[in-house]
Amino acid sequence: MSSTHVFDMIVVGGGPAGYTAALYAARAGLDTLVLEKLSAGGQMALTEEIDNYPGYEDGIDGFTLAEKMQRQAERFGARTEYAQVERMDLTAEPKVLETSEGPFAARTVVLATGGGPRELGLAGEKALVGRGVAYCAACDGMRYKGRTVVVVGGGNSAAADALLLSRIAEKVILVHRRDQLRATKVYHAPLMQAENVEFRWNSTVTELLPEGKLTGVRLKDVHTGAESILPCDGLFISVGRKPATELVRGQLELDAGGYVAAGETTETSLPGVYAAGDVRTKPLRQVVTAVADGAMAVHMAEEYLAGGAPAARSPAGT
Ligand SMILES: Cc1cc2nc3c(=O)[nH]c(=O)nc-3n(C[C@H](O)[C@H](O)[C@H](O)COP(=O)(O)OP(=O)(O)OC[C@H]3O[C@@H](n4cnc5c(N)ncnc54)[C@H](O)[C@@H]3O)c2cc1C
């Protein structure tokens, strides 16, 4: 692909939002490129079983769904370049994207870079990933079959992770800095009833204890300051996610959480630039909401490319 070629649309990120945008764009006749730094599917591809994406009544693993989404977009002519976007000039016309594989240009950009896990920021944390420290129970839980694991956090993802791990590990200890979960009520009863789940309330993890791999964690009581050692084989860190918005910091308006400030139309603070999926402000980050954003972004981009005129709408809305 020539670096002087100007695409109608470049989609940054090949997760469910990105490949849905690519599908809608290619199907609308737009010259479309997806730039993906790793492999198709994003967070979805790490998900063992997706049971809440309509149309798959028996569930589907995220990797397979990712392959299907990519193939569907490519069937209509969307192309994928495996490249990491390193810098963007979104105010230029055309917009310029500098990547690990060279520069690309486009008239519109859909930012679909999703997000990643929030770290605790403890010494040795990065080095212990895969050697006791994990961020994804669905991905790494089976490694701890019959072992003792600690889950840190009190929100929905921590509760869901603890519940999933309770079916795999021998013992799960949930560490939370407050005296009750923030997670929705649906998680409370099953967690309290699980015989192998214990709770350490009002506590934080202050230190990782390694001997080649993780052997335990140091806890601190947030009220008394008392410290204790908790031996464990695994630590699942479920303290939220951070949006992948470093690329656009200073160019696009972000919300207080660092997500791109964009509503249901996915329009950002810059014309011709759209934010789809987990990367934008929204109350529910799921595959089904990510794909909806991908479709909406293309609809708005078509209007932009047509010079502000509403995009053609078929009576069936297809
Ligand atoms: C463990 C886990 C389980 C989940 N289970 C479910 C579930 O059961 N049901 C459900 O609906 N949702 C589930 N989710 C949430 C769902 O996976 C996400 O909401 C969805 O994947 C968001 O899609 P996205 O396209 O916005 O972003 P992502 O899936 O995060 O994809 C973003 C993509 O952008 C790429 N990218 C980022 N930066 C760059 C760059 N600079 N250059 C190039 N490429 C870049 C990334 O490599 C990635 O492929 C789960 C998430 C996790 C982590």
PDB file of all heavy atoms in Angstrom, residues 12-18 35-39 41-44 47 49-50 52 83-85 112-115 136 241 247 276-278 285-287 290, ligand 1:
ATOM      1  N   VAL A  12      -8.558   2.714  13.364  1.00  0.00           N
ATOM      2  CA  VAL A  12      -7.419   2.367  14.221  1.00  0.00           C
ATOM      3  C   VAL A  12      -7.917   1.387  15.278  1.00  0.00           C
ATOM      4  O   VAL A  12      -8.681   1.752  16.172  1.00  0.00           O
ATOM      5  CB  VAL A  12      -6.812   3.619  14.891  1.00  0.00           C
ATOM      6  CG1 VAL A  12      -5.559   3.231  15.678  1.00  0.00           C
ATOM      7  CG2 VAL A  12      -6.481   4.674  13.851  1.00  0.00           C
ATOM      8  N   GLY A  13      -7.491   0.132  15.153  1.00  0.00           N
ATOM      9  CA  GLY A  13      -7.907  -0.900  16.108  1.00  0.00           C
ATOM     10  C   GLY A  13      -8.843  -1.909  15.466  1.00  0.00           C
ATOM     11  O   GLY A  13      -9.867  -1.544  14.891  1.00  0.00           O
ATOM     12  N   GLY A  14      -8.445  -3.174  15.552  1.00  0.00           N
ATOM     13  CA  GLY A  14      -9.230  -4.244  14.908  1.00  0.00           C
ATOM     14  C   GLY A  14     -10.005  -5.086  15.895  1.00  0.00           C
ATOM     15  O   GLY A  14     -10.089  -6.308  15.775  1.00  0.00           O
ATOM     16  N   GLY A  15     -10.611  -4.442  16.906  1.00  0.00           N
ATOM     17  CA  GLY A  15     -11.529  -5.139  17.809  1.00  0.00           C
ATOM     18  C   GLY A  15     -12.921  -5.158  17.188  1.00  0.00           C
ATOM     19  O   GLY A  15     -13.088  -4.837  16.012  1.00  0.00           O
ATOM     20  N   PRO A  16     -13.923  -5.523  17.972  1.00  0.00           N
ATOM     21  CA  PRO A  16     -15.283  -5.577  17.425  1.00  0.00           C
ATOM     22  C   PRO A  16     -15.789  -4.234  16.907  1.00  0.00           C
ATOM     23  O   PRO A  16     -16.469  -4.191  15.867  1.00  0.00           O
ATOM     24  CB  PRO A  16     -16.136  -6.072  18.588  1.00  0.00           C
ATOM     25  CG  PRO A  16     -15.277  -6.012  19.804  1.00  0.00           C
ATOM     26  CD  PRO A  16     -13.860  -6.040  19.352  1.00  0.00           C
ATOM     27  N   ALA A  17     -15.435  -3.133  17.589  1.00  0.00           N
ATOM     28  CA  ALA A  17     -15.857  -1.813  17.092  1.00  0.00           C
ATOM     29  C   ALA A  17     -15.188  -1.538  15.756  1.00  0.00           C
ATOM     30  O   ALA A  17     -15.828  -1.104  14.798  1.00  0.00           O
ATOM     31  CB  ALA A  17     -15.495  -0.726  18.107  1.00  0.00           C
ATOM     32  N   GLY A  18     -13.873  -1.784  15.684  1.00  0.00           N
ATOM     33  CA  GLY A  18     -13.113  -1.483  14.472  1.00  0.00           C
ATOM     34  C   GLY A  18     -13.578  -2.299  13.281  1.00  0.00           C
ATOM     35  O   GLY A  18     -13.791  -1.757  12.191  1.00  0.00           O
ATOM     36  N   LEU A  35      -5.990  -0.535  10.796  1.00  0.00           N
ATOM     37  CA  LEU A  35      -4.621  -0.642  11.328  1.00  0.00           C
ATOM     38  C   LEU A  35      -4.717  -1.313  12.691  1.00  0.00           C
ATOM     39  O   LEU A  35      -5.372  -0.789  13.603  1.00  0.00           O
ATOM     40  CB  LEU A  35      -4.001   0.752  11.462  1.00  0.00           C
ATOM     41  CG  LEU A  35      -3.759   1.508  10.154  1.00  0.00           C
ATOM     42  CD1 LEU A  35      -3.300   2.935  10.434  1.00  0.00           C
ATOM     43  CD2 LEU A  35      -2.745   0.779   9.278  1.00  0.00           C
ATOM     44  N   GLU A  36      -4.112  -2.486  12.812  1.00  0.00           N
ATOM     45  CA  GLU A  36      -4.186  -3.246  14.073  1.00  0.00           C
ATOM     46  C   GLU A  36      -2.774  -3.626  14.488  1.00  0.00           C
ATOM     47  O   GLU A  36      -2.013  -4.192  13.710  1.00  0.00           O
ATOM     48  CB  GLU A  36      -5.060  -4.494  13.869  1.00  0.00           C
ATOM     49  CG  GLU A  36      -4.982  -5.528  14.981  1.00  0.00           C
ATOM     50  CD  GLU A  36      -5.261  -4.974  16.392  1.00  0.00           C
ATOM     51  OE1 GLU A  36      -6.294  -4.327  16.582  1.00  0.00           O
ATOM     52  OE2 GLU A  36      -4.417  -5.191  17.293  1.00  0.00           O
ATOM     53  N   LYS A  37      -2.458  -3.345  15.758  1.00  0.00           N
ATOM     54  CA  LYS A  37      -1.073  -3.559  16.195  1.00  0.00           C
ATOM     55  C   LYS A  37      -0.783  -5.005  16.575  1.00  0.00           C
ATOM     56  O   LYS A  37       0.362  -5.433  16.575  1.00  0.00           O
ATOM     57  CB  LYS A  37      -0.721  -2.628  17.353  1.00  0.00           C
ATOM     58  CG  LYS A  37      -1.466  -2.904  18.634  1.00  0.00           C
ATOM     59  CD  LYS A  37      -0.979  -1.981  19.743  1.00  0.00           C
ATOM     60  CE  LYS A  37      -1.787  -2.219  21.009  1.00  0.00           C
ATOM     61  NZ  LYS A  37      -1.388  -1.389  22.112  1.00  0.00           N
ATOM     62  N   LEU A  38      -1.812  -5.786  16.929  1.00  0.00           N
ATOM     63  CA  LEU A  38      -1.575  -7.165  17.373  1.00  0.00           C
ATOM     64  C   LEU A  38      -2.294  -8.160  16.469  1.00  0.00           C
ATOM     65  O   LEU A  38      -1.744  -8.635  15.485  1.00  0.00           O
ATOM     66  CB  LEU A  38      -2.042  -7.331  18.828  1.00  0.00           C
ATOM     67  CG  LEU A  38      -1.231  -6.576  19.885  1.00  0.00           C
ATOM     68  CD1 LEU A  38      -1.920  -6.650  21.226  1.00  0.00           C
ATOM     69  CD2 LEU A  38       0.173  -7.147  19.970  1.00  0.00           C
ATOM     70  N   SER A  39      -3.507  -8.490  16.828  1.00  0.00           N
ATOM     71  CA  SER A  39      -4.302  -9.413  16.007  1.00  0.00           C
ATOM     72  C   SER A  39      -5.764  -9.045  16.168  1.00  0.00           C
ATOM     73  O   SER A  39      -6.138  -8.338  17.114  1.00  0.00           O
ATOM     74  CB  SER A  39      -4.060 -10.864  16.441  1.00  0.00           C
ATOM     75  OG  SER A  39      -4.348 -10.998  17.805  1.00  0.00           O
ATOM     76  N   GLY A  41      -9.619  -8.700  16.958  1.00  0.00           N
ATOM     77  CA  GLY A  41     -10.488  -9.077  18.076  1.00  0.00           C
ATOM     78  C   GLY A  41     -10.282  -8.307  19.356  1.00  0.00           C
ATOM     79  O   GLY A  41     -11.185  -8.247  20.185  1.00  0.00           O
ATOM     80  N   GLY A  42      -9.113  -7.746  19.552  1.00  0.00           N
ATOM     81  CA  GLY A  42      -8.868  -6.965  20.763  1.00  0.00           C
ATOM     82  C   GLY A  42      -9.168  -7.753  22.027  1.00  0.00           C
ATOM     83  O   GLY A  42      -8.842  -8.939  22.129  1.00  0.00           O
ATOM     84  N   GLN A  43      -9.798  -7.097  22.975  1.00  0.00           N
ATOM     85  CA  GLN A  43     -10.144  -7.768  24.246  1.00  0.00           C
ATOM     86  C   GLN A  43     -11.081  -8.949  24.007  1.00  0.00           C
ATOM     87  O   GLN A  43     -11.043  -9.948  24.719  1.00  0.00           O
ATOM     88  CB  GLN A  43     -10.867  -6.804  25.175  1.00  0.00           C
ATOM     89  CG  GLN A  43     -10.100  -5.602  25.602  1.00  0.00           C
ATOM     90  CD  GLN A  43     -11.035  -4.609  26.255  1.00  0.00           C
ATOM     91  OE1 GLN A  43     -11.534  -4.829  27.344  1.00  0.00           O
ATOM     92  NE2 GLN A  43     -11.288  -3.494  25.588  1.00  0.00           N
ATOM     93  N   MET A  44     -11.925  -8.816  22.996  1.00  0.00           N
ATOM     94  CA  MET A  44     -12.899  -9.878  22.718  1.00  0.00           C
ATOM     95  C   MET A  44     -12.191 -11.204  22.438  1.00  0.00           C
ATOM     96  O   MET A  44     -12.649 -12.276  22.858  1.00  0.00           O
ATOM     97  CB  MET A  44     -13.752  -9.472  21.519  1.00  0.00           C
ATOM     98  CG  MET A  44     -14.820 -10.466  21.142  1.00  0.00           C
ATOM     99  SD  MET A  44     -15.787  -9.867  19.757  1.00  0.00           S
ATOM    100  CE  MET A  44     -14.619 -10.077  18.400  1.00  0.00           C
ATOM    101  N   THR A  47     -11.465 -13.521  25.249  1.00  0.00           N
ATOM    102  CA  THR A  47     -12.612 -13.989  26.028  1.00  0.00           C
ATOM    103  C   THR A  47     -12.963 -15.416  25.638  1.00  0.00           C
ATOM    104  O   THR A  47     -13.242 -15.695  24.477  1.00  0.00           O
ATOM    105  CB  THR A  47     -13.814 -13.050  25.794  1.00  0.00           C
ATOM    106  OG1 THR A  47     -13.369 -11.719  26.000  1.00  0.00           O
ATOM    107  CG2 THR A  47     -14.946 -13.351  26.734  1.00  0.00           C
ATOM    108  N   GLU A  49     -15.484 -17.423  26.421  1.00  0.00           N
ATOM    109  CA  GLU A  49     -16.858 -17.738  26.017  1.00  0.00           C
ATOM    110  C   GLU A  49     -17.699 -16.468  26.081  1.00  0.00           C
ATOM    111  O   GLU A  49     -17.791 -15.847  27.132  1.00  0.00           O
ATOM    112  CB  GLU A  49     -17.426 -18.797  26.976  1.00  0.00           C
ATOM    113  CG  GLU A  49     -18.806 -19.296  26.638  1.00  0.00           C
ATOM    114  CD  GLU A  49     -18.809 -20.383  25.564  1.00  0.00           C
ATOM    115  OE1 GLU A  49     -17.735 -20.740  25.054  1.00  0.00           O
ATOM    116  OE2 GLU A  49     -19.913 -20.845  25.234  1.00  0.00           O
ATOM    117  N   ILE A  50     -18.273 -16.089  24.957  1.00  0.00           N
ATOM    118  CA  ILE A  50     -19.165 -14.928  24.957  1.00  0.00           C
ATOM    119  C   ILE A  50     -20.588 -15.456  24.837  1.00  0.00           C
ATOM    120  O   ILE A  50     -20.960 -16.060  23.824  1.00  0.00           O
ATOM    121  CB  ILE A  50     -18.808 -13.971  23.804  1.00  0.00           C
ATOM    122  CG1 ILE A  50     -17.392 -13.446  24.038  1.00  0.00           C
ATOM    123  CG2 ILE A  50     -19.810 -12.826  23.725  1.00  0.00           C
ATOM    124  CD1 ILE A  50     -16.914 -12.443  23.050  1.00  0.00           C
ATOM    125  N   ASN A  52     -23.333 -13.494  25.601  1.00  0.00           N
ATOM    126  CA  ASN A  52     -24.342 -12.430  25.550  1.00  0.00           C
ATOM    127  C   ASN A  52     -24.275 -11.637  24.256  1.00  0.00           C
ATOM    128  O   ASN A  52     -24.704 -10.491  24.205  1.00  0.00           O
ATOM    129  CB  ASN A  52     -24.192 -11.500  26.766  1.00  0.00           C
ATOM    130  CG  ASN A  52     -22.783 -10.944  26.892  1.00  0.00           C
ATOM    131  OD1 ASN A  52     -21.928 -11.213  26.053  1.00  0.00           O
ATOM    132  ND2 ASN A  52     -22.536 -10.172  27.937  1.00  0.00           N
ATOM    133  N   ALA A  83      -0.068  -2.963  11.971  1.00  0.00           N
ATOM    134  CA  ALA A  83       0.848  -1.863  12.254  1.00  0.00           C
ATOM    135  C   ALA A  83       0.376  -1.148  13.507  1.00  0.00           C
ATOM    136  O   ALA A  83      -0.831  -1.039  13.750  1.00  0.00           O
ATOM    137  CB  ALA A  83       0.861  -0.880  11.088  1.00  0.00           C
ATOM    138  N   GLN A  84       1.322  -0.690  14.274  1.00  0.00           N
ATOM    139  CA  GLN A  84       0.975   0.089  15.472  1.00  0.00           C
ATOM    140  C   GLN A  84       0.960   1.564  15.110  1.00  0.00           C
ATOM    141  O   GLN A  84       1.953   2.079  14.576  1.00  0.00           O
ATOM    142  CB  GLN A  84       2.003  -0.171  16.572  1.00  0.00           C
ATOM    143  CG  GLN A  84       1.806   0.769  17.752  1.00  0.00           C
ATOM    144  CD  GLN A  84       2.270   0.170  19.060  1.00  0.00           C
ATOM    145  OE1 GLN A  84       2.772  -0.947  19.100  1.00  0.00           O
ATOM    146  NE2 GLN A  84       2.106   0.899  20.129  1.00  0.00           N
ATOM    147  N   VAL A  85      -0.147   2.212  15.367  1.00  0.00           N
ATOM    148  CA  VAL A  85      -0.207   3.645  15.111  1.00  0.00           C
ATOM    149  C   VAL A  85       0.543   4.339  16.240  1.00  0.00           C
ATOM    150  O   VAL A  85       0.275   4.131  17.416  1.00  0.00           O
ATOM    151  CB  VAL A  85      -1.669   4.142  15.031  1.00  0.00           C
ATOM    152  CG1 VAL A  85      -1.703   5.648  14.805  1.00  0.00           C
ATOM    153  CG2 VAL A  85      -2.400   3.411  13.909  1.00  0.00           C
ATOM    154  N   ALA A 112     -10.747   3.213  17.350  1.00  0.00           N
ATOM    155  CA  ALA A 112     -11.390   2.059  17.998  1.00  0.00           C
ATOM    156  C   ALA A 112     -10.327   1.271  18.749  1.00  0.00           C
ATOM    157  O   ALA A 112     -10.202   0.055  18.619  1.00  0.00           O
ATOM    158  CB  ALA A 112     -12.078   1.194  16.946  1.00  0.00           C
ATOM    159  N   THR A 113      -9.561   2.004  19.547  1.00  0.00           N
ATOM    160  CA  THR A 113      -8.388   1.412  20.196  1.00  0.00           C
ATOM    161  C   THR A 113      -8.695   0.739  21.536  1.00  0.00           C
ATOM    162  O   THR A 113      -7.802   0.191  22.172  1.00  0.00           O
ATOM    163  CB  THR A 113      -7.295   2.493  20.418  1.00  0.00           C
ATOM    164  OG1 THR A 113      -7.922   3.657  20.961  1.00  0.00           O
ATOM    165  CG2 THR A 113      -6.607   2.870  19.122  1.00  0.00           C
ATOM    166  N   GLY A 114      -9.960   0.783  21.959  1.00  0.00           N
ATOM    167  CA  GLY A 114     -10.366   0.043  23.151  1.00  0.00           C
ATOM    168  C   GLY A 114      -9.631   0.472  24.404  1.00  0.00           C
ATOM    169  O   GLY A 114      -9.433   1.660  24.659  1.00  0.00           O
ATOM    170  N   GLY A 115      -9.223  -0.520  25.172  1.00  0.00           N
ATOM    171  CA  GLY A 115      -8.556  -0.206  26.434  1.00  0.00           C
ATOM    172  C   GLY A 115      -7.794  -1.405  26.949  1.00  0.00           C
ATOM    173  O   GLY A 115      -7.662  -2.412  26.259  1.00  0.00           O
ATOM    174  N   CYS A 136      -6.780 -11.075  33.818  1.00  0.00           N
ATOM    175  CA  CYS A 136      -7.934 -11.587  33.082  1.00  0.00           C
ATOM    176  C   CYS A 136      -8.218 -13.015  33.540  1.00  0.00           C
ATOM    177  O   CYS A 136      -7.509 -13.951  33.155  1.00  0.00           O
ATOM    178  CB  CYS A 136      -7.626 -11.524  31.585  1.00  0.00           C
ATOM    179  SG  CYS A 136      -8.811 -12.359  30.553  1.00  0.00           S
ATOM    180  N   ARG A 241     -10.294  -0.547  34.117  1.00  0.00           N
ATOM    181  CA  ARG A 241      -9.597  -0.558  32.840  1.00  0.00           C
ATOM    182  C   ARG A 241      -9.206   0.864  32.480  1.00  0.00           C
ATOM    183  O   ARG A 241      -9.790   1.823  32.977  1.00  0.00           O
ATOM    184  CB  ARG A 241     -10.521  -1.145  31.759  1.00  0.00           C
ATOM    185  CG  ARG A 241     -11.101  -2.489  32.166  1.00  0.00           C
ATOM    186  CD  ARG A 241     -11.677  -3.233  31.009  1.00  0.00           C
ATOM    187  NE  ARG A 241     -10.670  -3.628  30.041  1.00  0.00           N
ATOM    188  CZ  ARG A 241      -9.778  -4.604  30.214  1.00  0.00           C
ATOM    189  NH1 ARG A 241      -9.748  -5.264  31.336  1.00  0.00           N
ATOM    190  NH2 ARG A 241      -8.918  -4.917  29.276  1.00  0.00           N
ATOM    191  N   LEU A 247      -2.668   8.253  22.272  1.00  0.00           N
ATOM    192  CA  LEU A 247      -2.431   8.750  20.912  1.00  0.00           C
ATOM    193  C   LEU A 247      -3.123  10.080  20.623  1.00  0.00           C
ATOM    194  O   LEU A 247      -2.654  10.857  19.806  1.00  0.00           O
ATOM    195  CB  LEU A 247      -3.030   7.745  19.913  1.00  0.00           C
ATOM    196  CG  LEU A 247      -2.204   6.597  19.399  1.00  0.00           C
ATOM    197  CD1 LEU A 247      -3.059   5.716  18.514  1.00  0.00           C
ATOM    198  CD2 LEU A 247      -1.004   7.130  18.634  1.00  0.00           C
ATOM    199  N   ALA A 276     -15.174   4.888  18.553  1.00  0.00           N
ATOM    200  CA  ALA A 276     -16.125   3.784  18.625  1.00  0.00           C
ATOM    201  C   ALA A 276     -15.656   2.729  19.628  1.00  0.00           C
ATOM    202  O   ALA A 276     -14.471   2.410  19.699  1.00  0.00           O
ATOM    203  CB  ALA A 276     -16.282   3.152  17.236  1.00  0.00           C
ATOM    204  N   GLY A 277     -16.597   2.197  20.390  1.00  0.00           N
ATOM    205  CA  GLY A 277     -16.296   1.090  21.293  1.00  0.00           C
ATOM    206  C   GLY A 277     -15.841   1.556  22.671  1.00  0.00           C
ATOM    207  O   GLY A 277     -16.169   2.657  23.116  1.00  0.00           O
ATOM    208  N   ASP A 278     -15.052   0.711  23.315  1.00  0.00           N
ATOM    209  CA  ASP A 278     -14.656   0.943  24.711  1.00  0.00           C
ATOM    210  C   ASP A 278     -13.887   2.243  24.915  1.00  0.00           C
ATOM    211  O   ASP A 278     -13.780   2.724  26.043  1.00  0.00           O
ATOM    212  CB  ASP A 278     -13.748  -0.204  25.189  1.00  0.00           C
ATOM    213  CG  ASP A 278     -14.546  -1.418  25.610  1.00  0.00           C
ATOM    214  OD1 ASP A 278     -15.745  -1.503  25.263  1.00  0.00           O
ATOM    215  OD2 ASP A 278     -13.973  -2.296  26.281  1.00  0.00           O
ATOM    216  N   ARG A 285     -19.617  -1.141  28.484  1.00  0.00           N
ATOM    217  CA  ARG A 285     -18.571  -1.532  27.524  1.00  0.00           C
ATOM    218  C   ARG A 285     -18.652  -3.027  27.275  1.00  0.00           C
ATOM    219  O   ARG A 285     -18.191  -3.831  28.084  1.00  0.00           O
ATOM    220  CB  ARG A 285     -17.191  -1.103  28.039  1.00  0.00           C
ATOM    221  CG  ARG A 285     -17.066   0.390  28.084  1.00  0.00           C
ATOM    222  CD  ARG A 285     -15.672   0.904  28.357  1.00  0.00           C
ATOM    223  NE  ARG A 285     -15.675   2.348  28.183  1.00  0.00           N
ATOM    224  CZ  ARG A 285     -16.024   3.213  29.124  1.00  0.00           C
ATOM    225  NH1 ARG A 285     -16.341   2.795  30.320  1.00  0.00           N
ATOM    226  NH2 ARG A 285     -16.043   4.507  28.852  1.00  0.00           N
ATOM    227  N   GLN A 286     -19.245  -3.373  26.165  1.00  0.00           N
ATOM    228  CA  GLN A 286     -19.489  -4.759  25.779  1.00  0.00           C
ATOM    229  C   GLN A 286     -19.301  -4.895  24.279  1.00  0.00           C
ATOM    230  O   GLN A 286     -19.241  -3.894  23.554  1.00  0.00           O
ATOM    231  CB  GLN A 286     -20.935  -5.140  26.150  1.00  0.00           C
ATOM    232  CG  GLN A 286     -21.151  -5.302  27.640  1.00  0.00           C
ATOM    233  CD  GLN A 286     -20.664  -6.652  28.150  1.00  0.00           C
ATOM    234  OE1 GLN A 286     -21.337  -7.644  28.034  1.00  0.00           O
ATOM    235  NE2 GLN A 286     -19.476  -6.681  28.710  1.00  0.00           N
ATOM    236  N   VAL A 287     -19.270  -6.122  23.807  1.00  0.00           N
ATOM    237  CA  VAL A 287     -19.127  -6.346  22.371  1.00  0.00           C
ATOM    238  C   VAL A 287     -20.319  -5.737  21.634  1.00  0.00           C
ATOM    239  O   VAL A 287     -20.164  -5.062  20.604  1.00  0.00           O
ATOM    240  CB  VAL A 287     -19.015  -7.860  22.069  1.00  0.00           C
ATOM    241  CG1 VAL A 287     -19.009  -8.100  20.566  1.00  0.00           C
ATOM    242  CG2 VAL A 287     -17.754  -8.440  22.707  1.00  0.00           C
ATOM    243  N   ALA A 290     -19.987  -2.077  21.386  1.00  0.00           N
ATOM    244  CA  ALA A 290     -18.847  -1.717  20.519  1.00  0.00           C
ATOM    245  C   ALA A 290     -19.246  -1.823  19.049  1.00  0.00           C
ATOM    246  O   ALA A 290     -18.942  -0.941  18.246  1.00  0.00           O
ATOM    247  CB  ALA A 290     -17.648  -2.623  20.821  1.00  0.00           C
TER     248      ALA A 290
HETATM  249  C1  LIG B   1     -11.711 -10.768  30.065  1.00  0.00           C
HETATM  250  C2  LIG B   1     -12.803 -10.055  29.337  1.00  0.00           C
HETATM  251  C3  LIG B   1     -14.029 -10.672  29.181  1.00  0.00           C
HETATM  252  C4  LIG B   1     -15.055 -10.022  28.488  1.00  0.00           C
HETATM  253  N1  LIG B   1     -16.241 -10.671  28.309  1.00  0.00           N
HETATM  254  C5  LIG B   1     -17.214 -10.090  27.577  1.00  0.00           C
HETATM  255  C6  LIG B   1     -18.430 -10.773  27.306  1.00  0.00           C
HETATM  256  O1  LIG B   1     -18.638 -11.903  27.738  1.00  0.00           O
HETATM  257  N2  LIG B   1     -19.368 -10.140  26.558  1.00  0.00           N
HETATM  258  C7  LIG B   1     -19.180  -8.877  26.067  1.00  0.00           C
HETATM  259  O2  LIG B   1     -20.048  -8.384  25.369  1.00  0.00           O
HETATM  260  N3  LIG B   1     -18.035  -8.205  26.305  1.00  0.00           N
HETATM  261  C8  LIG B   1     -17.057  -8.775  27.047  1.00  0.00           C
HETATM  262  N4  LIG B   1     -15.893  -8.103  27.309  1.00  0.00           N
HETATM  263  C9  LIG B   1     -15.766  -6.709  26.843  1.00  0.00           C
HETATM  264  C10 LIG B   1     -15.463  -6.658  25.355  1.00  0.00           C
HETATM  265  O3  LIG B   1     -14.413  -7.554  25.034  1.00  0.00           O
HETATM  266  C11 LIG B   1     -15.099  -5.231  24.981  1.00  0.00           C
HETATM  267  O4  LIG B   1     -16.154  -4.384  25.360  1.00  0.00           O
HETATM  268  C12 LIG B   1     -14.852  -5.104  23.484  1.00  0.00           C
HETATM  269  O5  LIG B   1     -13.824  -5.961  23.043  1.00  0.00           O
HETATM  270  C13 LIG B   1     -14.492  -3.658  23.128  1.00  0.00           C
HETATM  271  O6  LIG B   1     -14.231  -3.623  21.766  1.00  0.00           O
HETATM  272  P1  LIG B   1     -13.386  -2.451  21.094  1.00  0.00           P
HETATM  273  O7  LIG B   1     -13.334  -2.793  19.651  1.00  0.00           O
HETATM  274  O8  LIG B   1     -13.933  -1.160  21.507  1.00  0.00           O
HETATM  275  O9  LIG B   1     -11.940  -2.523  21.763  1.00  0.00           O
HETATM  276  P2  LIG B   1     -10.892  -3.698  21.948  1.00  0.00           P
HETATM  277  O10 LIG B   1     -11.556  -5.015  21.950  1.00  0.00           O
HETATM  278  O11 LIG B   1     -10.094  -3.311  23.143  1.00  0.00           O
HETATM  279  O12 LIG B   1      -9.981  -3.615  20.640  1.00  0.00           O
HETATM  280  C14 LIG B   1      -9.094  -2.540  20.449  1.00  0.00           C
HETATM  281  C15 LIG B   1      -8.056  -2.936  19.426  1.00  0.00           C
HETATM  282  O13 LIG B   1      -7.280  -1.797  19.104  1.00  0.00           O
HETATM  283  C16 LIG B   1      -5.932  -2.195  18.952  1.00  0.00           C
HETATM  284  N5  LIG B   1      -5.075  -1.023  19.174  1.00  0.00           N
HETATM  285  C17 LIG B   1      -4.973  -0.275  20.301  1.00  0.00           C
HETATM  286  N6  LIG B   1      -4.086   0.714  20.138  1.00  0.00           N
HETATM  287  C18 LIG B   1      -3.610   0.598  18.875  1.00  0.00           C
HETATM  288  C19 LIG B   1      -2.645   1.322  18.122  1.00  0.00           C
HETATM  289  N7  LIG B   1      -1.981   2.372  18.624  1.00  0.00           N
HETATM  290  N8  LIG B   1      -2.397   0.925  16.846  1.00  0.00           N
HETATM  291  C20 LIG B   1      -3.044  -0.127  16.306  1.00  0.00           C
HETATM  292  N9  LIG B   1      -3.955  -0.863  16.986  1.00  0.00           N
HETATM  293  C21 LIG B   1      -4.239  -0.499  18.252  1.00  0.00           C
HETATM  294  C22 LIG B   1      -5.752  -3.281  20.008  1.00  0.00           C
HETATM  295  O14 LIG B   1      -4.654  -4.132  19.718  1.00  0.00           O
HETATM  296  C23 LIG B   1      -7.086  -4.004  19.918  1.00  0.00           C
HETATM  297  O15 LIG B   1      -7.052  -5.072  18.997  1.00  0.00           O
HETATM  298  C24 LIG B   1     -14.848  -8.724  27.977  1.00  0.00           C
HETATM  299  C25 LIG B   1     -13.604  -8.106  28.138  1.00  0.00           C
HETATM  300  C26 LIG B   1     -12.588  -8.756  28.806  1.00  0.00           C
HETATM  301  C27 LIG B   1     -11.242  -8.089  28.953  1.00  0.00           C
END
